[in-house]
């Protein structure tokens, strides 16, 4: 099911707030079976993106209604990839990524997120698995409003070849995400139903 986006009007912030509310209401109604769809991501991830042993891959610790990425991170570690989680640097309004593997300690970060400890090594992922609220087939992502990933992706792409892949339930797809000048497009979207590649 594809949700029709709210019409884009002059107030971009209101459009984004309304779309977030719409998606959150939808996710609240997901069945228990759908909530277990994270395991389906593993097959789709390896078929579509072919991660290599030794590659640094960033993920996220799932919160609220986010699709469970932990099975993917476990599989990536088993395959020989180095996995990492984002850490928010509020003063710089940007993210860094610290090495993390299943079983490693996590600490509470800004906005209630869980992050690797400050002792964990800072790493630079070439594959980023990015959480989101909504996405469209033009490569646009609606996040939570902080702009951390947008600024981080711009910074990384200045000196590193990366793939930034949004991860979500298939029902989080919309016709058109309201976007502003500083919103950054992603390279594709991974859902429990498959992979959506975005052509450049």
């Amino acid at each position: 099911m594809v949700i029709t986006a709210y019409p884009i009007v002059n107030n971009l912030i209101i459009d984004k707030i309304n779309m977030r509310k719409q998606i959150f209401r939808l996710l609240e109604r997901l069945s228990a079976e759908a909530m277990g769809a994270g395991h389906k991501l593993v097959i789709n991830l390896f078929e579509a993106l072919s991660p290599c042993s030794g590659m640094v891959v960033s993920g996220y610790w799932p919160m609220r209604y986010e699709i469970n990425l932990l099975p993917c991170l476990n599989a990536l570690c088993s395959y020989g990839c180095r996995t990492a989680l984002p850490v928010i640097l509020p003063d710089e309004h940007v993210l860094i990524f610290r090495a993390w593997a299943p079983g490693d300690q996590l600490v509470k970060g800004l906005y209630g997120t869980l992050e690797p400890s400050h002792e964990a090594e800072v790493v630079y992922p070439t594959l980023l698995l990015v959480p989101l609220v909504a996405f469209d087939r033009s490569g646009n992502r609606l996040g939570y409003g902080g702009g951390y990933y947008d600024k981080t992706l711009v910074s990384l792409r200045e000196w590193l070849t990366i793939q930034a892949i949004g991860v979500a339930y298939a029902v989080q797809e919309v016709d058109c995400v309201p976007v502003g000048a500083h919103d950054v497009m992603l390279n594709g979207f991974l859902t429990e139903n498959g992979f959506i590649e975005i052509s450049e």
Side-chain angles (χ1 to χ4, degrees):
M1 178 178 68
V2 176
I3 302 168
T4 302
Y6 286 87
I8 297 178
V9 295
N10 292 334
N11 198 331
L12 180 65
I13 294 175
I14 296 299
D15 288 342
K16 289 185 175 184
I17 289 172
N18 287 338
M19 181 170 282
R20 288 187 189 102
K21 289 179 179 178
Q22 181 186 16
I23 295 296
F24 290 152
R25 285 196 299 268
L26 178 67
L27 293 176
E28 285 176 350
R29 298 195 296 269
L30 281 181
S31 67
E33 180 181 357
M35 295 297 282
H39 290 279
K40 297 179 181 178
L41 292 177
V42 177
I43 296 172
N44 298 337
L45 169 67
F46 279 83
E47 285 184 350
L49 300 173
S50 303
C52 303
S53 178
M55 173 186 287
V56 180
V57 183
S58 72
Y60 59 86
W61 190 270
M63 297 179 63
R64 295 189 67 188
Y65 308 116
E66 292 172 344
I67 193 166
N68 186 4
L69 189 63
L70 297 182
C72 286
L73 296 178
N74 291 337
L76 287 164
C77 281
S78 298
Y79 191 68
C81 296
R82 296 195 68 193
T83 49
L85 297 178
V87 174
I88 297 174
L89 296 181
D91 294 339
E92 301 180 36
H93 208 71
V94 73
L95 302 169
I96 61 170
F97 300 90
R98 291 189 181 274
W100 174 86
D104 288 354
Q105 178 186 0
L106 291 170
V107 298
K108 196 167 186 179
L110 198 64
Y111 307 123
T113 57
L114 292 176
E115 305 172 344
S117 70
H118 299 302
E119 290 77 25
E121 179 187 358
V122 175
V123 294
Y124 299 93
T126 55
L127 174 60
L128 293 91
L129 302 175
V130 180
L132 55 83
V133 178
F135 69 93
D136 65 29
R137 297 210 174 207
S138 295
N140 299 308
R141 164 189 178 267
L142 177 67
Y144 294 92
Y148 290 99
Y149 267 103
D150 293 314
K151 188 171 182 179
T152 301
L153 293 177
V154 169
S155 177
L156 287 175
R157 284 171 172 166
E158 288 178 350
W159 65 280
L160 191 64
T161 301
I162 64 170
Q163 276 190 300
I165 306 299
V167 185
Y169 292 102
V171 296
Q172 290 173 259
E173 180 182 348
V174 299
D175 288 338
C176 182
V177 169
V179 295
H182 300 292
D183 293 319
V184 176
M185 292 176 57
L186 302 187
N187 302 106
F189 298 98
L190 180 69
T191 79
E192 77 278 19
N193 289 349
F195 179 71
I196 300 168
E197 183 176 6
I198 304 301
S199 301
E200 297 183 0

